[in-house]
Amino acid sequence: MKKYLKNLPQEIKNLIVLAEEVSRETKMPAYLVGGFPRDLILGVKDWDLDITVEGNGIKFAENLAKKLNVSLVKHERFGTATLILNHRLKVDVATTRKEVYPSCACLPVVSPGTLKEDLLRRDFTINALAVSLSTDASRKLIDIFCGKEDLTAGKIRILHDLSFEDDPTRILRAIRFKQRYNFKIEPKTLSLLRAAVNSGLLNKVHPHRMRDELVLMLKEKDPSAQLKQLYDLGGLSFISNNLKPGRQVYGLFKSINQEISWFMRSFPFHGSFEAWLVYFAALLRQLSLVQSKKIIRRLGLSKQEEKKILSCRQINRRFIGRLKNKQIKPAQVFNLLKPFSYEAIILLRSVSGDSVFKKHITDFLKIYNCVRLSISGDDLYRLGVLPGPKYQKILNKVLAARLNGSVKNRQDELALIGKIIK
Ligand code: CTP
C-alpha cells in the first residue's frame, strides 16, 4: 500500500506514523479499515479514518489522542472513540469485533473478535479491506475477500448470502456505492438484493435507520440516479407504496442539483442549509399532506425538518405565477419569500426556468434579505409610541419603503415614521 499512502496529505501521513507508534508501544495490532483503504485505492479523497484495534480500541485511542494532543469522545458502550483533529479530519477507533444477528433485520449481538471476524461482518468486499499499522507487517494490504480485485473491476459484492437479511440497510448502501463509483452490482449480489427487497425486508428495519441511509443517499453527488435505481428495484416502499417517481421528478431532482450548486457557490456561509432535505421535500410533494406527515413522523425527522418540508407544500402554481410577474415590487417579493427556509427557496428556484421568476428569487437572497433598517424600536419609543405589536407593523412598513427605494437612509426612515404615527 506504500505507493497509495505516499500521496496522502502530510497531516494524514503523520497521523499514520503516530498510530503505528501507538500500536508498537501498546502491543495492540491496529488496522486502517472501511472506506479509507477503499477510497485510497480508488484515488478518491476521503479524510475520515477508521482504525480497528485487536485489543482495546478506547485505550488505543487515548494513547493516540495524547500523542496528537487532541480531545477524544469515548463511546464506552460500543467500545469506540472518536478523535476530532479539525473540521476536515476525524478518526474513529474501534475494537475488532464479531457480530451475530439473532434474527433478520435486527441489530447484531456484538463481541470482541479477530481482524478476520471483523472484516467478515462487513457489507461488501470493497469495504472489507484493511491496511496493517503493526510493525511486523506495516502498511500491508490485508485482502481476505478479494476486495481489491472487485475495486479494480468495479463490482459491488456481498461477503455471504445472508448479508441483506442480516442488515437490509445494505440494500441502500449497495445502490449508493454503485452510483457513487459507477460500479456494477455483481449478478449474485443483485439477485439476492432483489429477493430481499421483494420479501419486504426494508420494512422490517427500524425506520430511523432507514432514514439515516436515505439521507446519506440524498447527500450523494447525483440523487436523481440514486432515486431512480432504488425505485426501479422496488426499494421506495419503506417510505410509501404511493411514491412513483417519473420523468418529472427525476428532472426536478436534476434541477435541484444545479440550484444547490449555485446556492453553495453564491452563499458559502449558509448556516444550517440541508441539501438532502430539498430532495426529500420534492419527493413528498407527490403525496398528500396527511401521508407526508405520517412519513415524516415515522422516519423520526425533527420538528424543524418537518416544518421546512411542509412549508414546501405552499409552492403551487398560483404562488409561482405571482413570482413570474415582472411588475411585482421588491417588498412584495420579500413578503412572499421571507417565511420560507433556504431549502424551500431552493426547491422553488428549481421548479421553473422563467428568468423573471429566477431574478426575483436571486434578488431576494442577494439584496432584499440583507437589507437592515437604521431605525429600531428605541426610535419609536423616543418618538412616544407605546411598546406593542404596533412596533412590528410600523417597522415592516418602513422596511417595505426601504426595499422599494422610496426611503434611502436613517433620516428618510425617521421622516416616514413621523408620517405613519400621524
Ligand atoms: N459497514 C457495514 N455495514 C453497514 C454499515 C457499515 O459493513 N451497514 C462497514 C463497512 O465496512 C464500511 C464501514 O463499516 O466501510 C464504515 O461505514 P461507514 O462509515 O458508514 O461507510 P464508509 O464505507 O466509510 O462510506 P462513506 O464513504 O459513505 O462514508
Side-chain angles (χ1 to χ4, degrees):
M1 290 301 283
K2 288 196 175 126
K3 77 168 182 201
Y4 297 108
L5 293 160
K6 207 172 66 194
N7 300 323
L8 285 171
Q10 196 55 43
E11 189 180 21
I12 298 182
K13 284 193 205 163
N14 294 346
L15 203 153
I16 291 174
V17 170
L18 293 181
E20 284 169 336
E21 258 178 50
V22 174
S23 171
R24 198 167 50 241
E25 286 163 12
T26 58
K27 300 196 169 42
M28 291 194 252
Y31 310 88
L32 286 164
V33 286
F36 185 79
R38 175 197 70 214
D39 287 343
L40 191 64
I41 294 172
L42 287 176
V44 176
K45 280 185 191 153
D46 176 4
W47 307 143
D48 282 348
L49 268 69
D50 276 315
I51 296 177
T52 190
V53 178
E54 282 181 309
N56 183 328
I58 293 192
K59 270 223 176 94
F60 185 98
E62 282 169 348
N63 281 280
L64 186 57
K66 229 180 262 163
K67 279 192 193 284
L68 286 161
N69 197 20
V70 297
S71 57
L72 180 73
V73 183
K74 294 186 220 171
H75 318 281
E76 299 277 358
R77 204 155 69 87
F78 302 103
T80 61
T82 303
L83 288 87
I84 311 239
L85 279 83
N86 55 50
H87 69 284
R88 280 178 299 116
L89 185 55
K90 172 172 88 63
V91 185
D92 283 317
V93 184
T95 310
T96 47
R97 62 182 199 247
K98 59 177 173 235
E99 290 179 348
V100 177
Y101 288 84
S103 66
C104 174
C106 273
L107 286 178
V109 176
V110 173
S111 57
T114 61
L115 174 71
K116 187 172 176 191
E117 285 166 328
D118 191 278
L119 296 178
L120 184 64
R121 75 176 171 85
R122 291 174 187 263
D123 49 5
F124 310 116
T125 57
I126 59 166
N127 288 341
L129 295 164
V131 179
S132 170
L133 296 176
S134 312
T135 8
D136 49 343
S138 200
R139 303 189 181 182
K140 277 234 168 74
L141 182 70
I142 299 167
D143 182 10
I144 302 171
F145 308 102
C146 301
K148 190 168 178 207
E149 199 181 308
D150 282 340
L151 265 185
T152 318
K155 286 184 183 160
I156 310 285
R157 185 194 308 273
I158 41 174
L159 301 186
H160 58 88
D161 288 3
L162 291 179
S163 187
F164 291 124
E165 288 184 30
D166 285 348
D167 181 357
T169 66
R170 290 174 178 167
I171 295 168
L172 269 67
R173 289 176 65 85
I175 296 170
R176 185 154 64 86
F177 291 123
K178 171 193 183 284
Q179 294 296 343
R180 181 197 291 177
Y181 300 120
N182 197 16
F183 278 13
K184 287 210 158 48
I185 301 177
E186 66 83 30
K188 188 173 172 205
T189 300
L190 186 60
S191 111
L192 289 166
L193 184 152
R194 281 186 203 282
V197 174
N198 293 339
S199 59
L201 282 185
L202 287 174
N203 293 313
K204 292 199 172 161
V205 183
H206 193 291
H208 294 187
R209 288 186 62 214
M210 290 308 297
R211 172 208 57 208
D212 292 345
E213 281 304 326
L214 179 72
V215 170
L216 288 176
M217 206 168 220
L218 296 177
K219 282 183 175 173
E220 290 287 332
K221 215 169 67 206
D222 185 2
S224 171
Q226 301 271 349
L227 177 74
K228 183 163 186 336
Q229 174 92 49
L230 184 60
Y231 177 60
D232 290 348
L233 287 165
L236 274 182
S237 61
F238 78 92
I239 307 176
S240 162
N241 283 325
N242 297 330
L243 278 179
K244 296 184 170 57
R247 236 197 265 158
Q248 214 183 349
V249 174
Y250 299 130
L252 179 59
F253 266 45
K254 290 235 182 276
S255 83
I256 292 173
N257 206 305
Q258 286 167 8
E259 292 300 336
I260 288 175
S261 306
W262 170 82
F263 182 71
M264 299 296 207
R265 271 197 319 274
S266 312
F267 306 94
F269 307 106
H270 45 264
S272 62
F273 178 75
E274 297 268 22
W276 69 269
L277 212 134
V278 187
Y279 295 106
F280 192 56
L283 191 61
L284 291 190
R285 266 159 55 99
Q286 288 197 300
L287 305 176
S288 72
L289 178 63
V290 177
Q291 282 177 322
S292 301
K293 276 188 181 168
K294 262 195 195 157
I295 293 166
I296 289 169
R297 300 214 174 130
R298 183 161 41 82
L299 295 180
L301 299 185
S302 69
K303 281 276 159 228
Q304 171 87 341
E305 288 163 343
E306 172 169 355
K307 206 170 136 202
K308 285 180 179 180
I309 292 169
L310 295 183
S311 82
C312 292
R313 300 190 73 87
Q314 289 166 39
I315 301 171
N316 54 28
R317 249 192 230 152
R318 205 168 137 248
F319 189 88
I320 296 165
R322 291 174 78 181
L323 277 171
K324 282 184 181 169
N325 181 355
K326 222 177 182 172
Q327 310 305 327
I328 189 173
K329 292 224 163 103
Q332 287 171 290
V333 173
F334 179 81
N335 288 333
L336 281 173
L337 294 178
K338 187 68 192 159
F340 285 104
S341 62
Y342 286 127
E343 287 84 352
I345 289 176
I346 293 311
L347 178 57
L348 184 65
R349 245 184 90 101
S350 313
V351 298
S352 169
D354 184 278
S355 59
V356 174
F357 172 86
K358 286 229 152 135
K359 181 162 177 359
H360 282 322
I361 302 177
T362 309
D363 286 348
F364 168 80
L365 290 170
K366 290 197 170 166
I367 307 168
Y368 313 151
N369 203 27
C370 311
V371 169
R372 299 286 173 266
L373 290 179
S374 326
I375 53 146
S376 68
D378 290 349
D379 295 294
L380 290 174
Y381 190 73
R382 248 185 291 119
L383 289 167
V385 185
L386 289 179
K390 234 185 300 184
Y391 271 38
Q392 200 52 55
K393 276 192 191 152
I394 297 174
L395 292 174
N396 285 348
K397 274 192 183 167
V398 181
L399 181 63
R402 181 79 188 260
L403 289 167
N404 289 341
S406 57
V407 154
K408 292 199 165 50
N409 50 38
R410 181 171 163 80
Q411 242 175 342
D412 293 351
E413 287 174 12
L414 287 170
L416 181 60
I417 296 182
K419 271 193 213 159
I420 297 172
I421 295 172
K422 260 191 204 161

